[in-house]
Amino acid sequence: MDFNFSYEQKQYTNQIYNFAKHNLNDETKLDCFCMDQWKMIADFGLLGITINPEYNGLGESYLTAALAMEAIGHGSINNGLTFALTNHIWMVQNAINLFGTAEQKQRYLSDMVLGKKIGAFALTESDAGSDAMSIKAHASFKNSRYVLNGSKTFISNGTIADVFIVIALTNYQPAEYTAFIIEKSFNGVHIGREIKKMGLSSCPFCELKFSNCTIPIENVLGQVGSGSIIMNELLTWERCYEFAPHVGAMQRILERCVQYANERKQSGRFIKDFQAISHKIADMKVSIELSKNMLYKLAWLKDQGKSAYTEASIFKLFVSENYIKVCQNAMQIFGAYGYASEYGIERELRDAMACSIYSGTSEIQRNIIFQFIN
Amino acid sequence: MISIIAFVKCVNYASSMQYGPNADLYDINPYDIYMIHQLIRLKKTIPCKITSVTMGPLLCRNVLKQIIGWGIDKCVLITDKSFVGSDTFATSYILSKYIMNIGEFDICSFGEKAIDGETGQVPIAFACRQNKRCITGVNQIISIENGEVILEREGDNKVEIVSVNMPSILAFQGKTTERPTGSLFDLKKAFNYEPIVIDNKTINADYAMCGHNGSKTVVLNRAEFPKRANTFVHGSLETKARFLKEILFQ
């Protein structure tokens, strides 16, 4: 088993880390989405890392993409922007790449890779969170097109998106779900209020409402009735690649803690010399190394075309809970400075708290893992 | 589209500022890295095609590939056994012959000097051979308008904004070892890129004017300066400032 990365992969990692460090750490742009930064990322080529060069992508492997996501999390403090990016790439762009027809790819992929169109994935409803299958949004087939009615909530990128992947019921009994590609410009699409939240401020969340939204039949993603399969597959990708930047973020926070512990003196000693501090840092390192190994294995499975449903749940559960723990420990190490906004540690914790909720809560992940074991 | 020729030198790593166990034998001259930073910044605002041209041994090939990853469009390596031992006089001749070979250009740019020689003569000697002036001390190109290059230069304790007609020959002052960060597309291009290698058969330089034969300077003796003790200070700005404070107030 060769754990080495190729020369090209190392170069990509360094380039992306340097790009993120120099261009995506503007502290004045942490509170809201910034289109300039999005365009910069698109011009840099990060949006299409696994997309075929035919659609202006780089056509690299999923392992290279995992390293890329990790590097951007490592380099950039803008966790919200990273979250918006991973949503766009892995929940929408990747969906069209995997399940779209040639016409759909032609129509959407290039523009998405070039940063001209932003994507959002719409599944959650006010009464359908963990119980995703109890969604009520319904699309009926009339006059050679679908008519969608319903609403979605907590939609990441909702206010800035041009293209939505929407999962809706197309039959009640038996329950049948279908995925649709819906453009913002379609009749009946209403972008709702932005939802204020605890963290990830530069990624907008909002409600969506569909009132007799007409969808051409060409905009069915995959087959009619394959919505639940597409949803499960996309959630696997989400659990892997939306959490890859968190592995990088943990590394970034570890580096800050090490630097601080080597500079801060109390009782005449650097605080790194107190075991209470050094053990916390050691625990961070353990979390990071194990997360990395799981991430690379997941990416390898994807490159092999193998299923990674349970592995993704294990990874998501481990990374989300350890990321929060790393941020909490960082706050302890920084003390009052960690609690103060100026040092950014409290923002890291506020951003991290969401990850035990989105992509399926930690409780749901434990259910999935147990089902696999049992 | 503006055509820019960027002359880049590969220097031996022992004299380069950045070296370590993984360093290549050759590295890009830090003055030329600064120049490339400025040209890539210009490329983001004005459509231009940048070709880097290096005179050096074949060993430089791999080092030059990285320039493509920074955003340069094309890399040319001029190499020939007859060029070995060329001083600044012979080098400027050979580079002139290359330019005569390719024909027209809009801008020829140099780093002010190379860290393994520091004479700073090649840009000026090259310009003489082209019967043009060399604008030295260039900090940055501000814009290109109506066939004129508007640039900022430093000299005689002042900073000037000057305009010069194209084709122009510029020598950038400033040095850095920080590599430019090109796009991932540039990086991917660099992985598979092979610099265009040309020899004297292509540029047809007079052998009597190249290498040791063509050099006006002869190295009679060489002595190394004794190495001084040094310490690299790593870490944040704060760490470095603390270290310097301790040294200064000892």
Side-chain angles (χ1 to χ4, degrees):
Chain A
M1 192 179 287
D2 185 0
F3 285 89
N4 283 316
F5 298 119
S6 67
Y7 168 79
E8 287 81 3
Q9 284 169 334
K10 288 178 196 166
Q11 290 293 305
Y12 273 130
T13 305
N14 285 339
Q15 192 100 327
I16 292 166
Y17 172 73
N18 286 330
F19 169 80
K21 206 158 165 15
H22 290 118
N23 296 289
L24 302 181
N25 282 337
D26 187 344
E27 289 192 3
T28 62
K29 293 180 178 166
L30 298 177
D31 290 331
C32 60
F33 179 78
C34 177
M35 188 52 87
D36 287 346
Q37 287 186 318
W38 190 268
K39 291 266 185 260
M40 213 187 308
I41 291 169
D43 290 342
F44 180 62
L46 196 57
L47 295 183
I49 200 149
T50 56
I51 301 296
N52 198 301
E54 185 189 343
Y55 305 108
N56 297 301
L58 288 166
E60 295 292 343
S61 68
Y62 290 121
L63 177 55
T64 305
L67 291 167
M69 297 295 109
E70 186 190 341
I72 202 158
H74 184 199
S76 172
I77 62 171
N78 197 334
N79 299 314
L81 179 64
T82 308
F83 185 67
L85 185 71
T86 52
N87 255 287
H88 164 89
I89 295 174
W90 300 106
M91 297 305 287
V92 186
Q93 204 174 265
N94 192 40
I96 297 172
N97 192 41
L98 291 174
F99 302 107
T101 61
E103 289 77 24
Q104 287 169 343
K105 288 181 192 178
Q106 202 65 43
R107 207 175 331 137
Y108 297 111
L109 267 189
S110 257
D111 281 349
M112 295 188 80
V113 165
L114 294 174
K116 293 177 186 174
K117 289 192 166 102
I118 299 178
F121 182 70
L123 169 67
T124 303
E125 295 177 9
S126 52
D127 290 329
S130 292
D131 182 14
M133 294 289 102
S134 64
I135 55 172
K136 291 191 173 60
H138 181 261
S140 51
F141 189 64
K142 283 176 193 169
N143 302 325
S144 308
R145 57 189 64 191
Y146 282 91
V147 179
L148 174 65
N149 282 285
S151 59
K152 300 287 183 186
T153 190
F154 299 121
I155 305 306
S156 311
N157 295 351
T159 57
I160 54 171
D162 307 285
V163 178
F164 301 95
I165 304 284
V166 178
I167 310 288
L169 273 166
T170 40
N171 197 54
Y172 288 112
Q173 291 291 345
E176 181 188 84
Y177 305 90
T178 301
F180 296 97
I181 305 171
I182 296 176
E183 295 178 34
K184 188 168 77 169
S185 56
F186 284 0
N187 282 333
V189 176
H190 305 281
I191 313 292
R193 64 183 179 93
E194 186 168 337
I195 299 167
K196 284 197 186 307
K197 50 199 189 306
M198 183 178 176
L200 299 175
S201 303
S202 46
C203 175
F205 281 19
C206 75
E207 295 172 344
L208 295 177
K209 192 172 172 195
F210 303 99
S211 306
N212 295 321
C213 171
T214 47
I215 310 167
I217 197 165
E218 303 83 54
N219 278 45
V220 169
L221 183 65
Q223 308 288 331
V224 174
S226 66
S228 55
I229 297 169
I230 290 176
M231 183 196 76
N232 282 327
E233 184 60 25
L234 290 180
L235 284 174
T236 304
W237 287 96
E238 187 183 34
R239 284 162 193 161
C240 177
Y241 284 94
E242 274 198 19
F243 288 76
H246 300 333
V247 179
M250 285 197 278
Q251 178 67 33
R252 174 165 46 79
I253 294 167
L254 167 73
E255 286 164 5
R256 283 198 68 187
C257 291
V258 167
Q259 183 189 338
Y260 185 76
N262 275 284
E263 291 169 354
R264 175 81 171 163
K265 268 187 172 174
Q266 291 291 275
S267 308
R269 297 157 68 183
F270 290 110
I271 61 170
K272 71 175 171 72
D273 295 329
F274 296 107
Q275 272 191 344
I277 300 298
S278 60
H279 282 187
K280 284 186 172 49
I281 293 174
D283 287 342
M284 288 182 189
K285 181 66 176 171
V286 170
S287 300
I288 292 165
E289 286 307 305
L290 292 176
S291 300
K292 282 184 179 188
N293 275 289
M294 277 197 275
L295 171 63
Y296 305 150
K297 183 186 171 184
L298 264 176
W300 176 84
L301 284 168
K302 285 302 179 191
D303 274 328
Q304 302 301 310
K306 296 185 179 184
S307 167
Y309 187 69
T310 312
E311 289 86 349
S313 282
I314 296 170
F315 173 72
K316 192 267 180 188
L317 176 65
F318 184 81
V319 169
S320 58
E321 294 197 339
N322 279 277
Y323 181 30
I324 294 169
K325 209 182 298 181
V326 161
C327 292
Q328 287 170 330
N329 282 337
M331 190 172 269
Q332 285 301 120
I333 291 169
F334 276 74
Y337 290 107
Y339 196 72
S341 296
E342 193 183 331
Y343 276 64
I345 299 295
E346 58 82 26
R347 183 183 50 76
E348 297 278 5
L349 180 57
R350 284 190 288 108
D351 289 343
M353 291 304 293
C355 66
S356 65
I357 299 169
Y358 61 72
S359 301
T361 61
S362 296
E363 291 78 11
I364 292 296
Q365 304 313 318
R366 286 182 166 94
N367 285 349
I368 292 169
I369 296 163
F370 178 74
Q371 276 168 14
F372 171 73
I373 298 166
N374 202 33
Chain B
M1 186 165 300
I2 309 287
S3 163
I4 301 177
I5 309 291
F7 287 103
V8 169
K9 187 173 183 187
C10 286
V11 294
N12 186 281
Y13 85 88
S15 57
S16 166
M17 287 180 206
Q18 186 174 3
Y19 52 86
N22 297 319
D24 289 333
L25 185 61
Y26 286 89
D27 201 356
I28 309 290
N29 175 29
Y31 289 94
D32 297 333
I33 297 178
Y34 177 84
M35 168 190 61
I36 293 174
H37 268 285
Q38 299 309 314
L39 294 178
I40 287 170
R41 198 181 52 80
L42 177 73
K43 192 178 170 188
K44 288 178 183 166
T45 55
I46 292 167
C48 53
K49 187 172 175 186
I50 307 172
T51 302
S52 89
V53 177
T54 299
M55 188 185 104
L58 264 179
L59 276 172
C60 297
R61 244 183 334 191
N62 283 337
V63 173
L64 292 175
K65 281 171 69 152
Q66 67 179 299
I67 298 180
I68 298 294
W70 298 350
I72 299 296
D73 299 295
K74 197 164 88 170
C75 247
V76 173
L77 173 62
I78 309 171
T79 186
D80 198 285
K81 280 184 189 160
S82 63
F83 299 162
V84 173
S86 294
D87 67 355
T88 57
F89 187 81
T91 299
S92 63
Y93 167 74
I94 293 163
L95 297 181
S96 280
K97 289 298 285 183
Y98 169 77
I99 288 295
M100 278 171 60
N101 191 255
I102 62 157
E104 293 178 354
F105 61 90
D106 293 312
I107 297 173
C108 271
S109 67
F110 294 82
E112 193 178 52
K113 44 191 166 183
I115 58 166
D116 62 350
E118 305 246 2
T119 62
Q121 291 180 9
V122 169
I124 296 164
F126 173 86
C128 281
R129 292 184 188 276
Q130 299 294 312
N131 205 24
K132 289 183 171 51
R133 283 161 59 187
C134 176
I135 311 297
T136 57
V138 178
N139 283 337
Q140 57 169 325
I141 298 175
I142 296 169
S143 66
I144 299 178
E145 295 160 19
N146 304 321
E148 275 187 356
V149 182
I150 316 289
L151 52 89
E152 179 190 292
R153 69 174 294 274
E154 246 178 76
D156 299 329
N157 294 321
K158 57 179 185 264
V159 175
E160 302 172 312
I161 308 292
V162 303
S163 78
V164 55
N165 289 328
M166 291 193 292
S168 53
I169 298 170
L170 311 177
F172 284 81
Q173 70 165 11
K175 61 179 185 284
T176 179
T177 54
E178 193 181 320
R179 271 83 168 120
T181 304
S183 74
L184 297 181
F185 299 110
D186 295 327
L187 187 61
K188 189 169 175 114
K189 184 179 163 191
F191 291 150
N192 298 317
Y193 188 82
E194 285 300 328
I196 300 163
V197 178
I198 60 176
D199 60 13
N200 202 13
K201 287 194 195 103
T202 309
I203 65 170
N204 206 22
D206 183 352
Y207 284 98
M209 300 279 286
C210 304
H212 294 291
N213 295 334
S215 297
K216 300 293 183 189
T217 50
V218 177
V219 177
L220 294 175
N221 191 17
R222 178 186 285 184
E224 272 193 28
F225 287 109
K227 285 200 170 112
R228 298 199 316 199
N230 57 58
T231 304
F232 277 99
V233 183
H234 300 283
S236 66
L237 276 172
E238 215 181 306
T239 306
K240 289 173 188 172
R242 260 204 205 105
F243 176 84
L244 286 171
K245 185 189 166 189
E246 279 172 27
I247 299 276
L248 288 168
F249 286 95
Q250 266 175 4

